[in-house]
Amino acid sequence: MAVGGPDVTLFGRERESQRLAELVASARHGGGALVVRGEAGIGKSALLRQAGLVAAGHGLLVLSVTGTEAEARLPFAGLHQLLRPILGRADELPGPQRDAVLTAFGVARGTAPDLFLVALAVLNLLAEAAAESGALLVVEDAHWLDPPSADVLAFVARRLGSDPIVLLAAMRDGYADGFGAALDQLRVERLDDASAAALLDARAPELPGGLRRRLLDESAGNPLALVELPIAARRFEDDPLEPAQRPLTARLEEAFAARVSGLPDNTQTLLLVAAVNDGDTLAEAVDAAAVVAGTAVTVDDLTPAAAAHLVDLDRLSIRFRHPLMRSAIRQRAPLAQRLAAHAALAGVVRGQADRQVWHRAGASHGPDDDVADELERAARHAQGRGAMVIAVAALQRSGQLTVDPARSAARLLQAAELAVELGRHDVVGGLLQEAEARGLSFGQQAQRLWIAASFGDGLRDQKTGPLALAEVAARVAGTGDPGSDRLAMRLLNSAALRSFWSEADPEAGRRVVAVTESLPAGADDPDRLAILAFAAPVERGSAVIEGLRGVSARAGADAQTLRLLGSAAVIIGDFDQAEACCTASIPDLRAQGRLGSLTRALAALAWCAAHQADLRAGVPAAEESARLALETSQPLFFGIARASAAVLAALGGHPERTASLAAEAEQRGVAASVRPVLATVQLARGLSALADGRHADAYGELRRMHDPGDPSFHAGLRCFALTDLVEAAAHSGHRDEVAEIVSELEVAGRQTSSPALHAGLRYARAVLADDAGAEALFRAALGAETSRWPFSRARTQLAYGQWLRRQRRPVESRAPLRAACNTFDALGIVPWADRARQELRAAGETSRVRPATGREELTPQELQIAQLAAKGLTNREIGQALYLSHRTVSTHLHNIFPKLGITARAQLHAIVGDLKGW
């Protein structure tokens, strides 16, 4: 059966056509994205063309782009093609977004924009253009989009749920799934026998029976083969087809190449130039073909190619009717002709430096320093436009064409550094191998080591431990070469991170500290503080805390520095400093579009909030951090965010959610042997058992954090879970056993002034003391400055009230129990509030249960949006902050109000409170 419309008739595609038509028809009510996937020639483009006609029939704005292999190195080429019809509306965007997108397109000059800021600008530009009519975005051959365009469109596609925009992308089998990995997929299979026969009969009704049967067998249901192989059969009557011993794609390419071979020489030259060109401009192809042919070439020379159905022409452009035609023409041409075509195009595209240099590189058959230098300049230009992937490719090719081995290696290592920043593990290894093949100086060897050791926060390269990194750093610093101290600090940072995440040999941590402290950096140098915090959170905790005070006293710290200091403060248990630094860094990181660093800042804030039982700040921070970690390829921080979310869920009294989040985080932690993730998972499980009153189970879960033989052990992080362990032990008969652990941590307390550790020690001393000394210790704990840590104080009050009641002093117990209950209620820590209420009833006082606010019904993202709306931000401002369209924000608020039982934004603040970090 055939389905069709104007100019489109498709055989055997009823199911696929219906799904696309329904998706397009729903655009006005809410968008979505779909990747149409299948082998070459399977009919993906035909389905997308049909969807475009359906969209036009519904009055939708239709924007389209076709990825081409030749344009893959031109930054934002595909995105510019897609947005060209609406780019005039860029002036309607907020200033930073407008500047970002125009700089990316090379229309304006400015500071290199972050890719995600460009993506937000594109999302908003599309949302405004589609507001009245709705829109369909058609992306042909998405696997050949230039990487920045692909990344931006993937970002947009994940956020189209509430906007009247549908994105359809076609991707060929055999290519990386990066673009459509998180999107719905529509698999297009080969045609069934009846549909294949109907298509062949419609296209070639005159075929003899024997040849018809053979073509059906050879085509195996591939629509392009059913259309093209009969043409080849008519052309070569003696032996139209070889036995099917090679892939169908290869045979189709040969069929196309055969059709080219009979064309006039000038036509073949024009087709070759068009095939290697990174654009589709007709004038470029004609001018360059004349240079290659050495004779006059005109547009009329393309008439035979059009008649052979190889290309489509208009007054300005030339396009191949199928990508296989382009690749077939390139592959059949001798190397010398391809080089000549690139050289001719390099002369034709003068004034377009980026395109010209890539054609010059394509024309190079050996090292060429002039072209290498131009490629290095092209890399800087790409960086200035925020196209970091293109910059990596330009530096790699520059290194390959550089004559001097040392200079070549330097460029390849620079490319590897950029690839590390991008998280491109698929590229880094190859670049390092290429650099090593040139022969590396000692400094370059150290740089290579840092690149390998720093990738994935030091956990991908398992060959080089922190001790070895520290020794190399010491040698680098000893050379006194320019930049040696900076490289040494980088190596030490990698060593410290590895030491922290994998809990390496303590000797390694001590060596990292010794080398760091030997470098000429001030006591409050941010890099120095971070290294000391990660390498020796207990031994150097006091020094880091003192250094943090010095930095915070200085004005003007940038967002990246504040983010780094916030992470250091979390690690040493100075949660006040951590919260201050992280919340100060987040607004600028959002505004700058630095979502990779924002992910880390939010993860640190969530981890900090989890330890302070601050659900209002922690739940949305953990959720956003996890979401962004997936988008920015940071699996380690996804694990941290999910583990922190599990802790927060346990505190809120949600055991099923806790178990689910903990399992998800544990899977990431085990896979990479990341001890902090595993330790936080155990904390979540222990808290969940405590919340449920299963104290023996809680002790078993939490005790693992303190066992050096357990994968969850972490010498630094166990210091901040002491209150939980002691509470579990005191109610499960493990007082003597836990006393040994407390003694160990008392020793740690003499090394560090960590506020978190000392709060836990004060609680432990009071709870584990005998009756004669307990009261003084409880009063000492409550007399400490803990007003900024309400959960810690409330737990001490609860324990004190319980002790007083056991001492038959019920009247005195009511005040601390009442205070604890009120604090737990205010924080939303339901299990501990219920426990305090039970103790109050046992002490003779009834406490009214705090009424539910409905806040618990909100998803983490809804809570975040509600908190921002409560602060007075408009929908557009919320969308800009969270990298969502304002329509998506509006949809969320539409769902939030009924859940909270309110009708106006002014009512939000009383229910959801403030959100930190804004």
Side-chain angles (χ1 to χ4, degrees), residues 38 51 91 121 143 186 199 217 231 350-351 373 482 494 528 545 581 640 715 726 745 762 827 845 878 914:
D91 287 339
H143 47 279
L186 173 62
L199 173 57
D217 290 341
I231 298 174
R350 287 193 179 95
D373 290 346
S494 294
R528 182 180 190 272
I545 289 171
C581 289
I640 285 290
V726 169
L745 294 180
R762 287 191 292 269
L827 292 171
E845 179 175 310
I878 296 171
D914 291 326

Side-chain angles (χ1 to χ4, degrees), residues 469 697 699:
L469 288 168
D697 291 342
Y699 183 78

Side-chain angles (χ1 to χ4, degrees), residues 406-743:
R407 197 174 176 208
S408 171
R411 284 169 166 166
L412 292 166
L413 289 172
Q414 185 182 354
E417 281 196 29
L418 287 181
V420 167
E421 292 180 25
L422 290 168
R424 292 295 302 271
H425 62 275
D426 56 330
V427 174
V428 175
L431 287 166
L432 293 180
Q433 287 181 356
E434 283 192 72
E436 287 179 277
R438 269 70 173 171
L440 303 179
S441 66
F442 170 70
Q444 289 175 331
Q445 289 174 353
Q447 184 184 6
R448 189 213 66 80
L449 183 63
W450 168 73
I451 291 169
S454 65
F455 190 54
D457 290 297
L459 294 177
R460 289 189 183 270
D461 174 22
Q462 298 295 334
K463 301 174 185 175
T464 310
L467 184 59
L469 288 168
E471 296 300 346
V472 173
R475 288 183 59 198
V476 168
T479 65
D481 293 338
S484 59
D485 286 344
R486 179 171 179 270
L487 179 54
M489 289 291 266
R490 283 178 153 190
L491 286 161
L492 291 165
N493 180 67
S494 294
L497 284 171
R498 176 161 299 189
S499 180
F500 175 76
W501 293 118
S502 59
E503 188 71 10
D505 178 8
E507 175 58 30
R510 288 191 286 271
R511 182 57 177 156
V512 171
V513 169
V515 177
T516 301
E517 293 179 337
S518 72
L519 297 178
D524 59 356
D525 178 85
D527 290 319
R528 182 180 190 272
L529 292 173
I531 293 169
L532 295 179
F534 281 101
V538 173
E539 296 82 355
R540 289 298 183 271
S542 295
V544 174
I545 289 171
E546 191 61 35
L548 285 169
R549 293 195 183 106
V551 176
S552 61
R554 298 200 307 258
D558 63 89
Q560 291 284 22
T561 297
L562 288 169
R563 195 273 308 163
L564 181 65
L565 294 174
S567 297
V570 166
I571 300 312
I572 49 128
D574 191 348
F575 298 142
D576 292 334
Q577 283 278 16
E579 181 187 302
C581 289
C582 289
T583 54
S585 74
I586 287 172
D588 283 345
L589 294 175
R590 290 188 187 281
Q592 296 163 9
R594 300 187 180 279
L595 297 197
S597 294
L598 178 61
T599 300
R600 299 181 176 220
L602 288 166
L605 183 61
W607 203 87
C608 179
H611 280 273
Q612 294 177 298
D614 187 350
L615 273 60
R616 293 188 180 192
V619 170
E623 176 67 19
E624 186 180 8
S625 179
R627 188 172 67 251
L628 293 178
L630 293 177
E631 289 198 312
T632 57
S633 301
Q634 300 185 87
L636 190 153
F637 283 90
F638 178 84
I640 285 290
R642 281 291 190 251
S644 297
V647 171
L648 292 159
L651 292 168
H654 304 290
E656 292 182 0
R657 177 166 171 77
T658 302
S660 174
L661 289 166
E664 191 174 10
E666 184 177 51
Q667 184 179 21
R668 302 296 177 113
V670 168
S673 300
V674 185
R675 287 180 179 265
V677 172
L678 298 177
T680 308
V681 165
Q682 288 309 120
L683 175 61
R685 288 172 173 158
L687 284 168
S688 186
L690 276 178
D692 201 34
R694 296 180 289 109
H695 294 97
D697 291 342
Y699 183 78
E701 300 284 7
L702 295 166
R703 180 67 180 78
R704 291 181 57 187
M705 297 176 64
H706 299 269
D707 178 3
D710 193 282
S712 304
F713 174 80
H714 196 281
L717 300 193
R718 73 176 187 140
C719 295
F720 316 140
L722 183 56
T723 296
D724 313 300
L725 181 70
V726 169
E727 180 180 333
H731 292 83
S732 61
H734 293 90
R735 298 172 72 93
D736 292 340
E737 185 179 344
V738 81
E740 297 178 11
I741 295 174
V742 173
S743 297

Side-chain angles (χ1 to χ4, degrees), residues 169-396:
M171 290 193 71
R172 189 193 297 181
D173 287 347
Y175 288 83
D177 206 21
F179 175 82
L183 305 179
D184 289 342
Q185 308 262 327
L186 173 62
R187 177 86 196 163
V188 183
E189 303 291 353
R190 295 189 175 194
L191 297 176
D192 59 39
D193 291 346
S195 298
L199 173 57
L200 182 61
D201 291 342
R203 292 304 184 105
E206 77 289 355
L207 290 174
L211 180 57
R212 177 180 179 275
R213 285 191 296 275
R214 186 176 177 188
L215 285 171
L216 286 171
D217 290 341
E218 294 287 331
S219 299
N222 182 287
L224 183 65
L226 288 162
V227 171
E228 296 295 337
L229 291 183
I231 298 174
R234 286 192 293 266
R235 186 175 181 83
F236 301 99
E237 295 179 0
D238 293 340
D239 186 11
L241 295 170
E242 293 182 8
Q245 296 177 355
R246 287 169 294 112
L248 181 60
T249 298
R251 284 183 285 135
L252 281 169
E253 287 181 334
E254 288 187 4
F256 292 139
R259 285 159 63 181
V260 172
S261 65
L263 298 176
D265 290 345
N266 279 1
T267 304
Q268 292 189 46
T269 301
L270 266 167
L271 290 174
L272 173 60
V273 169
V276 303
N277 196 9
D278 52 10
D280 60 7
T281 304
L282 183 58
E284 289 178 359
V286 171
D287 291 347
V291 174
V292 175
T295 186
V297 175
T298 70
V299 173
D300 290 339
D301 288 313
L302 281 170
T303 301
H309 302 290
L310 292 168
V311 296
D312 289 323
L313 304 173
D314 57 34
R315 289 188 308 108
L316 299 176
S317 63
I318 173 174
R319 294 186 179 88
F320 289 93
R321 299 195 70 177
H322 194 279
L324 288 179
M325 296 176 182
R326 179 190 289 268
S327 60
I329 291 167
R330 281 202 308 267
Q331 290 174 21
R332 71 176 290 275
L335 175 61
Q337 290 185 15
R338 295 200 302 271
L339 296 177
H342 277 298
L345 285 164
V348 167
V349 298
R350 287 193 179 95
Q352 302 179 60
D354 286 349
R355 295 183 62 201
Q356 187 177 40
V357 70
W358 281 111
H359 282 302
R360 288 193 65 192
S364 299
H365 52 79
D368 187 325
D369 277 338
D370 289 339
V371 177
D373 290 346
E374 288 184 32
L375 281 165
E376 187 176 42
R377 287 192 289 273
R380 289 196 295 269
H381 185 217
Q383 283 184 266
R385 293 170 63 181
M388 307 302 286
V389 175
I390 304 298
V392 170
L395 282 170
Q396 180 177 20

Side-chain angles (χ1 to χ4, degrees), residues 107 340 603:
V107 178

